[in-house]
Amino acid sequence: MPESRCTSETDSGTGNDDGGSGLDEEEDEEEEPVYKGKRSCEGAPHGRGTLFWPKAGNRFEGRFLHGKRQGRGTLYFRDGSSLSGTYADDELEGVATYVYADGRYMEARYENGDMNGRFTEYNPEGEVIGKGYHKDNARSGLLHLTDEFGATLTGVVNGEGLLSGNDIIYVYPDHRTALVGVFEDGIMKGAKAATLASSDMTGDVMPRFEYRTDYPETLEFDQSTHDCISRNPLVPDHYEQDRVCVAPSSIPGAGEGLFAKRDLDADTVASFYNGVRLSHEEVDGRDWSLNDNTISLDDEVVIDVPQGWSSVERYCASLGHKANHSSGPNCKYDHFVHPRFGPIKCVRTLRHVSTGEELTCDYGYHHKLPGSEIDDLPSWFKPT
């Protein structure tokens, strides 16, 4: 925009009261901003400049017109996030981009400073993790949320912008297998197995689905504890059951193994590894004979399928513990957040796996005897 001939540069002073600061809710509206930049003959911010809120730790960089933000500008917040867009008469208009402190970002439409219209959220790699609509700065209507493992939760949000209510759909990473039913703020309260009629999860209408008659049970969030592996240990996961089965292992002396029921592409979640939740201290302090089915979830929790539950006749809600060790595996253990089991591990393919092929993982044991550098490993384990 053309600047007034009498604009001047200044390093201090407050913004013009007539123009207003136009602060968003994240900013401290009670703090008088400090302005640095060009001014008009009347002393108002005019041209390129910066507004600072020293106490709040926020600043705005952009262009001003007679005391008001006009044109492209960016708000930078203390936590490292930012909001960039086009201003008209001191308010955001059109599509603006909010960048979260962790690198995620959202493109949203603004009208007179308020979010109204379509928005899309992305992870730091640029992959879509959310699509929906805003109405008066709140989520409204149909919402799609995709997690880091490729699963999607979709449905119409309630009055608080939450995925709560009936007919909320959790879609597994294959974009076809689903659980449909009652969720409260994304937590499954009662859902049944279903299959989507289409894998398109980006539309403006609810995906069509059919309930599966071969899995009639109603499932709910059922995260394990130290003593309870599941309230329904004999109710299987239909996504897993479509992909793998348990049979005698092809590895001598290994007992049972996990096998592909269909061709699986590389990077496919094939199976889930749920179990009771123990501490590392408890697991490390007991004999190896009790640790046949243990796997580390994080720095605090170890997942274990106790020996009394290792048979599919007693426990078949998940089957990941049936994958045997190999120094040349076709799968790996990975993290997953399951709508029924919560945070667990999964078995993910490293390459294409053919129907009937046994799924194996490198167990990656790295245990030492307490207070020494001597390996404490089962006799059958062969490090890679």
Side-chain angles (χ1 to χ4, degrees):
M1 74 190 77
E3 299 174 3
S4 168
R5 291 183 179 178
C6 58
T7 56
S8 61
E9 192 79 24
T10 180
D11 290 342
S12 61
T14 62
N16 183 279
D17 289 339
D18 293 336
S21 61
L23 294 175
D24 285 4
E25 291 182 356
E26 293 89 342
E27 299 175 79
D28 186 351
E29 296 189 6
E30 297 181 358
E31 181 182 358
E32 188 73 16
V34 177
Y35 177 74
K36 177 181 179 181
K38 292 180 179 293
R39 292 180 179 271
S40 67
C41 297
E42 294 77 21
H46 190 79
R48 182 162 295 280
T50 302
L51 279 177
F52 298 92
W53 291 265
K55 293 181 181 179
N58 305 327
R59 75 183 191 279
F60 170 81
E61 297 180 0
R63 299 189 69 89
F64 295 81
L65 181 65
H66 300 298
K68 297 181 179 182
R69 290 176 287 193
Q70 188 77 16
R72 296 292 299 177
T74 301
L75 274 165
Y76 297 94
F77 302 103
R78 173 185 289 176
D79 65 357
S81 62
S82 64
L83 177 62
S84 301
T86 301
Y87 288 79
D89 199 26
D90 215 37
E91 302 287 0
L92 274 171
E93 289 288 344
V95 176
T97 301
Y98 181 79
V99 180
Y100 297 87
D102 62 6
R104 292 176 297 128
Y105 60 99
M106 175 179 66
E107 295 177 346
R109 181 166 292 279
Y110 282 76
E111 295 177 355
N112 196 32
D114 294 322
M115 289 187 290
N116 280 290
R118 187 186 297 272
F119 74 87
T120 304
E121 281 198 58
Y122 303 85
N123 64 17
E125 291 71 43
E127 299 167 328
V128 176
I129 58 174
K131 293 178 73 73
Y133 291 86
H134 285 125
K135 183 177 181 181
D136 297 331
N137 296 313
R139 289 172 172 175
S140 177
L142 187 62
L143 175 66
H144 305 288
L145 295 178
T146 301
D147 66 22
E148 60 183 296
F149 313 106
T152 300
L153 193 65
T154 187
V156 176
V157 301
N158 64 7
E160 298 177 350
L162 304 175
L163 280 172
S164 298
N166 302 322
D167 293 333
I168 304 296
I169 305 175
Y170 171 87
V171 186
Y172 287 80
D174 67 341
H175 308 304
R176 295 299 293 270
T177 308
L179 288 163
V180 182
V182 180
F183 285 72
E184 292 182 8
D185 193 12
I187 304 300
M188 187 169 67
K189 296 298 183 179
K192 290 189 174 184
T195 301
L196 298 189
S198 169
S199 61
D200 181 15
M201 296 297 296
T202 62
D204 294 332
V205 296
M206 281 286 289
R208 293 183 295 109
F209 63 87
E210 293 184 359
Y211 287 112
R212 291 185 55 161
T213 57
D214 51 343
Y215 293 93
E217 297 87 0
T218 297
L219 302 174
E220 61 183 357
F221 182 67
D222 181 23
Q223 182 169 305
S224 63
T225 65
H226 180 278
D227 301 308
C228 179
I229 193 168
S230 173
R231 293 191 294 271
N232 296 287
L234 294 178
V235 176
D237 182 275
H238 60 301
Y239 173 93
E240 182 177 57
Q241 291 286 319
D242 288 344
R243 286 158 179 79
V244 298
C245 62
V246 176
S249 175
S250 59
I251 301 172
E256 292 180 322
L258 193 65
F259 291 81
K261 293 173 68 173
R262 60 167 68 172
D263 285 359
L264 302 173
D265 292 334
D267 200 34
T268 295
V269 174
S271 182
F272 303 111
Y273 201 133
N274 180 52
V276 296
R277 295 166 191 262
L278 309 179
S279 69
H280 284 270
E281 291 76 15
E282 182 176 357
V283 172
D284 291 343
R286 65 187 189 180
D287 190 79
W288 264 110
S289 63
L290 300 176
N291 294 338
D292 287 346
N293 296 320
T294 57
I295 186 171
S296 176
L297 177 63
D298 52 38
D299 291 340
E300 298 181 356
V301 176
V302 176
I303 291 176
D304 178 32
V305 180
Q307 291 179 348
W309 295 93
S310 61
S311 168
V312 293
E313 282 73 32
R314 287 207 64 193
Y315 177 76
C316 62
S318 64
L319 301 174
H321 62 286
K322 290 296 184 179
N324 285 310
H325 166 75
S326 173
S327 58
N330 53 22
C331 295
K332 67 176 181 177
Y333 295 119
D334 200 359
H335 288 273
F336 197 85
V337 176
H338 195 282
R340 177 180 171 190
F341 306 123
I344 55 172
K345 284 291 184 75
C346 70
V347 176
R348 186 184 292 274
T349 57
L350 291 169
R351 58 167 175 80
H352 175 85
V353 176
S354 300
T355 302
E357 189 175 351
E358 183 168 1
L359 304 183
T360 58
C361 296
D362 183 350
Y363 285 5
Y365 288 139
H366 301 290
H367 288 269
K368 303 287 185 181
L369 288 172
S372 76
E373 292 301 314
I374 300 175
D375 289 332
D376 181 23
L377 303 173
S379 59
W380 52 263
F381 178 70
K382 296 179 180 180
T384 55

